């Protein structure tokens, strides 16, 4: 009987040994976990880079889709801008003014603090005042609507003259400033594409914005007041597209078109403007002195603007 009990204990010891050996077989799982850690490191490399152009200010009330925000993290959208000042300012004054207006435009053209399109200054030109044939200075008030249109008049001549000195004019918006409060038709600015439909389809066009010097529709000439005129006119440029072979600048926003009511200012082109008074495409210049109450753009406007042939698209992972 004693021999049998001793034998059972020995057998039990063998089972314990087998269990220990089995435990040894399970050890490689730790190495497998290390492989998983390596996978985590690969994931870190694949994380989207932070948007270099994140802007403060414009938070808005528009909720954006996750896919839209993901695309913003991976791709940059930029447009070159050139300032041409026929308002008598020195190059130092013109540069300061243009930097201010472009900074405002960059802050407005964001959604939830993230850049939709970034506007990069490539050149500022200050030739002096525009002259009449008799040598007298010409102001904005004497420039008629025909001369403000694309491919005609003095605006076309000015841009074509200066365009030859620009490295990449097809991805550029030329912004021309004139001395005076408003043009002959009462407007303070206009914007669009310069070129025909065939050139547009091939991406061989440039943008043009014409702005009266004060960029406001008030009788005050307070230089400390700032407005969204450039940001607004850039919207007209980037919304320009071909529909059924014809150019349109209609605002793609769900809060467009602008509806002319008795309690709102008159607007001769409601389809190109927005009915939301906070939107930068509202037809009247908005004061932007308070950085926490900037005009906004919405997602539909951003998506349409990014389709413009003027926009330079770059994958941030490739940089």
């Amino acid at each position: 009987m004693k021999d049998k009990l001793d034998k059972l204990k020995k057998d039990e010891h063998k089972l314990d040994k087998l269990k220990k050996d089995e435990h040894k077989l399970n050890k490689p799982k730790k190495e497998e976990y290390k492989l998983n850690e390596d996978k985590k490191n690969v994931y870190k490399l694949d994380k989207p880079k932070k948007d270099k152009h994140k802007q403060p200010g414009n938070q808005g009330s528009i909720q954006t889709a996750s896919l839209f925000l993901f695309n913003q993290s991976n791709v940059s959208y930029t447009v070159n801008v050139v300032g041409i000042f026929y308002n008598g300012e020195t190059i130092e004054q013109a540069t300061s003014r243009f930097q201010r207006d472009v900074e405002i435009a960059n802050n407005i053209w964001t959604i939830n603090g993230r850049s939709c399109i970034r506007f990069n200054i490539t050149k500022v030109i200050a030739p002096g005042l525009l002259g009449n044939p008799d040598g007298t200075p010409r102001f904005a008030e004497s420039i008629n609507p025909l001369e403000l249109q694309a491919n005609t008049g003095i605006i076309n001549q000015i841009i074509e003259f200066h365009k030859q000195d620009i490295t990449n004019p097809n991805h550029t918006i030329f912004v021309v400033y004139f001395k005076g409060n408003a043009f002959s038709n009462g407007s303070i600015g206009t914007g669009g594409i310069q070129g025909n439909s065939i050139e547009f389809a091939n991406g061989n066009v440039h943008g043009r914005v014409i702005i009266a010097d004060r960029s406001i529709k008030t009788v005050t000439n307070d230089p400390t007041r700032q407005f969204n005129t450039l940001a607004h006119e850039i919207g007209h440029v980037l919304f320009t597209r071909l529909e059924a072979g014809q150019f349109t600048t209609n605002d793609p926003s769900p809060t467009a078109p602008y509806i002319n009511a008795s309690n709102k200012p008159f607007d001769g082109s409601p389809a190109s403007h927005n009915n939301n008074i906070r939107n930068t495409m509202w037809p009247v210049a908005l004061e932007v002195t308070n950085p926490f109450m900037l005009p906004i753009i919405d997602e539909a406007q951003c998506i349409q603007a990014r389709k413009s042939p003027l926009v330079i698209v770059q994958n941030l992972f490739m940089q």
Side-chain angles (χ1 to χ4, degrees), residues 148-149 183 187-192 208-212 229 233 236-237:
L148 293 175
Q149 293 178 5
F183 298 104
S187 70
I188 59 170
T190 183
R208 50 141 184 82
V209 169
I210 303 95
I211 294 179
T229 306
E233 298 305 338
H236 289 313
V237 175

Side-chain angles (χ1 to χ4, degrees), residues 50-231:
K50 290 183 179 180
D51 189 345
K52 295 179 181 178
H53 304 315
K54 188 172 181 181
Q55 294 290 334
N58 182 12
Q59 300 301 316
S61 58
I62 304 298
Q63 298 298 316
T64 55
S66 58
L67 178 61
F68 177 74
L69 291 178
F70 177 80
N71 287 341
Q72 278 194 315
S73 299
N74 291 294
V75 182
S76 71
Y77 300 83
T78 59
V79 177
N80 295 331
V81 289
V82 171
I84 306 172
F85 285 75
Y86 279 97
N87 63 353
E89 290 186 343
T90 66
I91 187 63
E92 291 79 14
Q93 292 170 325
T95 300
S96 176
R97 165 70 182 272
F98 199 46
Q99 287 174 339
R100 184 199 71 181
D101 285 357
V102 172
E103 181 184 7
I104 291 169
N106 279 327
N107 288 338
I108 290 173
W109 277 83
T110 68
I111 295 178
N112 295 328
R114 304 190 71 169
S115 174
C116 168
I117 294 176
R118 175 81 179 179
F119 307 105
N120 293 328
I121 298 173
T122 57
K123 195 169 188 177
V124 179
I125 305 165
L129 288 171
L130 185 67
N132 287 309
D134 62 1
T136 58
R138 190 174 187 194
F139 301 124
E141 287 81 359
S142 67
I143 298 176
N144 61 58
L146 184 62
E147 292 177 302
L148 293 175
Q149 293 178 5
N151 309 319
T152 61
I154 190 65
I155 306 304
N156 179 62
Q157 295 174 33
I158 288 172
I159 293 177
E160 287 299 316
F161 176 77
H162 292 289
K163 186 178 75 171
Q164 56 191 334
D165 297 325
I166 304 302
T167 304
N168 192 3
N170 291 340
H171 291 290
T172 299
I173 298 176
F174 294 87
V175 186
V176 186
Y177 290 80
F178 287 100
K179 189 75 173 177
N181 281 330
F183 298 104
S184 65
N185 63 353
S187 70
I188 59 170
T190 183
I193 290 289
Q194 195 147 319
N196 59 44
S197 58
I198 297 175
E199 292 169 329
F200 182 89
N202 294 328
N204 296 323
V205 293
H206 53 268
R208 50 141 184 82
V209 169
I210 303 95
I211 294 179
D213 188 43
R214 292 293 180 186
S215 302
I216 58 175
K217 269 192 174 180
T218 67
V219 295
T220 62
N221 291 328
D222 182 357
T224 65
R225 300 183 68 185
Q226 299 178 11
F227 294 82
N228 70 322
T229 306
L230 179 59

Side-chain angles (χ1 to χ4, degrees), residues 258-292:
Y258 170 82
I259 300 171
N260 186 32
S262 58
N263 63 335
K264 297 177 181 178
F266 173 76
D267 176 42
S269 53
S272 297
H273 291 124
N274 203 282
N275 208 48
N276 178 5
I277 194 170
R278 279 212 61 205
N279 194 284
T280 198
M281 299 313 293
W282 171 263
V284 175
L286 299 172
E287 190 168 346
V288 293
T289 305
N290 183 351
F292 301 103

